[in-house]
Each structure stands twice: as structure tokens, then as C-alpha cells.
Amino acid sequence: MAHIAFIGLGHMGAPMAANLVKAGFQVKGFDLLPQLRDTAACAGVNVGSSARETVIGASVVITMLPAGEHVISVYDEVLSVADQDTLFIDCSTISVEESRIAADNAKTLGKRALDAPVSGGVVGAEKAKLTFMVGGEITDFNEALPILQAMGARVVHCGGSGLGQAAKVCNNMILGVSQIAVAEAFVLGEKLGLSHQALYDVASNASGQCWALTTNCPVPGPVQSSPANNDYQPGFSSALMAKDLGLAKQAVELSGARVTLGLYAQEMYAEFAKKGGANLDFSAIISSMRDQNGSQEN
């Protein structure tokens, strides 16, 4: 079994590392916050004293960090002490450009690198049901596959370096736009006197069916497990959606693609997060539509 170093033991990283332990891997983890190190230790993760100390002797280094600057900073800190040919797997959601910079930095010092952002949220991390979108060399992907399968239900090789992040930003752009569309439909239904349940019963069994409706329904009632039934406690926060759509915007600018709805969604979520919605589930964006329409929930 591979000796794995795991840097970043937050809401996502801690259960991911715990699932690797359950699968029989030797895992040594580190986080800057003592309470997160303690939580990971309770799950069987051997805790290191620093990021540098944690990666010494590891054959695989996994990072799950908040932003690209943190990934690049950690790589700068640990690459020189990691063994030659160590495989670095970054599961953070960062920009395509930052991902390629981190990978290039690793390769320059004789290491290997994959970008492997995830979809599935905290629940997916806890249940080992994440989807991994992986960019990098196919031989490195094949080596990493058993490790990623211990944390996820689906692992997809998307192509070369950075293309895992490309798949992630494209997917989340679809999600952000569709969540807004579903919210607008419910507000329109409210204005027309249509009940939430009636609209759900039709759209969930017709061409309007989508994840933003049938799993993350933005109104209480139709989907009992949706955040709308728990005062919009996230799931996936509006702040994180705003962040991911910001990464999509960077990718649009980098590629020169012509995109309209994705950029509009980015503006809406950035504004919603700024005005108090940051810590609410991203389905709570429906409140912005109601404010614009002067309407109330049915």
C-alpha cells in the first residue's frame, strides 16, 4: 500500500483522508489548524508536525486546499523535501492556469503531478462517493486510480495537465446557471399562482428535469433532503459557487471563449454572497429573484 501524505484536513480533506485509512492506506496528514489535526487523528490519520515533515518518505502527496495560492505555496514548501518521482495529486478547486503552474513546478523538481478536483460536497466526501475529474499523464492516472477510488464513486481521466480543473469549472458553470434557471421558474410560478408542488411534479418528470431541481430544489417541500428545508444551510455555499464561477470566468478570459450565461451567473452569485448570502446554500439565490419581483414564497 502507498504511503500517502495528505495536506489540508478541512471539511472535505478530513473525511477523504479517513476513507483512505479505512481502505488500508498508510496516511499521514497535516493542517495549519490544531483542531482539524485532532479531528483527523481521531479518524486514524497519523498527524505530522508540519507540511514538510509530513511529505518526507511519502510516495503520494494529496492536497485539498482553499485556493490556488495555497496550493502553489505548499508545493513551494514541500517539493524540495519530497522523494524523487513522488506523485502529487491536487484535489483543490483552483484555476486551470494555477493548476498548470503547480504541476510545472512539481515536474521541474523531478516529481509527477495530477489535478483531481472533486464534485459531491461534504456528504460525498464522507460517504466516499465523490466524482474525481483528473488531468495529467495516463500512467500517473492509472497509478492514482486505486487511491482515488477509495475516496470516490467515479473517477474520470479528462486529458492532460489542467484539464481536470477545466472539467470542474465547466461542470459548475452548468450547475450555477441551472440553479438560477430553476429559481427563476419557481418565482415565475409564484407570480402566476402555481404551487411549488405542482411545478415540481411537472418539471421533475418533464424536460425541465435537472439536478438543481430534483436534488437541490430551491423551495421547501418537494425534496425533503434539499437545503431549502433546513433554512438553506449548505450543502454547497453561495460563497463557494461564487468562487467557482469566478474560476470559470478566468478560464473564459484565458481561452477567449464567448460565454454569456456563465458570466451572468458569476455576477449574480458574487453579488448575492456580498449582500449576506455567502454562508447560505447556493439554492438560496431564489431570494434575490423574489426581491427583484417583490414576491413572497408560496
Side-chain angles (χ1 to χ4, degrees):
M1 281 287 187
H3 171 194
I4 300 171
F6 203 114
I7 310 298
L9 300 171
H11 294 303
M12 295 291 292
M16 290 167 69
N19 284 328
L20 289 172
V21 173
K22 292 176 186 176
F25 291 99
Q26 181 183 353
V27 183
K28 190 170 188 178
F30 180 75
D31 196 284
L32 290 174
L33 298 179
Q35 62 267 35
L36 297 183
R37 298 198 297 269
D38 293 343
T39 298
C42 291
V45 176
N46 182 21
V47 176
S49 59
S50 68
R52 285 172 65 88
E53 188 268 334
T54 299
V55 306
I56 294 174
S59 55
V60 176
V61 177
I62 300 175
T63 46
M64 176 56 95
L65 298 165
E69 62 187 284
H70 304 118
V71 175
I72 293 171
S73 176
V74 166
Y75 276 33
D76 286 345
E77 181 181 354
V78 305
L79 283 171
S80 62
V81 297
D83 292 346
Q84 287 295 100
D85 211 37
T86 297
L87 177 58
F88 279 72
I89 306 173
D90 180 42
C91 295
S92 318
T93 297
I94 63 177
S95 74
V96 174
E97 186 175 16
E98 289 169 325
S99 180
R100 287 173 174 163
I101 290 171
D104 287 345
N105 290 348
K107 293 171 186 175
T108 297
L109 291 180
K111 311 332 187 235
R112 297 171 294 141
L114 295 171
D115 50 286
V118 304
S119 178
V122 175
V123 173
E126 291 172 346
K127 295 183 177 181
K129 297 294 185 182
L130 294 170
T131 293
F132 287 87
M133 296 147 271
V134 187
E137 296 293 334
I138 188 64
T139 52
D140 296 333
F141 170 81
N142 289 335
E143 180 180 331
L145 190 56
I147 296 170
L148 300 179
Q149 288 174 329
M151 300 181 286
R154 185 168 177 78
V155 184
V156 180
H157 184 240
C158 299
S161 182
L163 292 182
Q165 295 293 349
K168 177 66 184 286
V169 299
C170 290
N171 177 76
N172 278 25
M173 186 169 70
I174 294 170
L175 179 58
V177 171
S178 62
Q179 193 70 64
I180 289 171
V182 170
E184 288 187 332
F186 272 99
V187 171
L188 176 59
E190 291 167 1
K191 298 286 283 185
L192 295 172
L194 182 64
S195 74
H196 293 158
Q197 191 64 53
L199 175 55
Y200 178 84
D201 288 345
V202 171
S204 63
N205 292 284
S207 54
Q209 191 279 331
C210 61
W211 189 94
L213 173 67
T214 57
T215 298
N216 217 49
C217 186
V219 297
V223 180
Q224 289 303 311
S225 59
S226 75
N229 287 298
N230 189 29
D231 296 323
Y232 295 101
Q233 296 304 302
F236 186 68
S237 73
S238 294
L240 288 176
M241 178 54 79
K243 172 204 166 186
D244 284 3
L245 289 171
L247 295 176
K249 180 180 179 180
Q250 290 180 37
V252 168
E253 294 168 347
L254 179 67
S255 67
R258 296 186 64 183
V259 171
T260 302
L261 295 181
L263 297 181
Y264 177 63
Q266 185 271 327
E267 292 174 1
M268 288 190 67
Y269 272 105
E271 185 70 11
F272 181 60
K274 182 180 178 180
K275 289 187 174 180
N279 295 321
L280 298 176
D281 187 78
F282 73 105
S283 59
I285 193 76
I286 193 170
S287 64
S288 291
M289 288 78 171
R290 290 197 180 111
D291 289 345
Q292 293 167 10
N293 283 275
S295 61
Q296 300 292 321
E297 179 183 328
N298 278 0

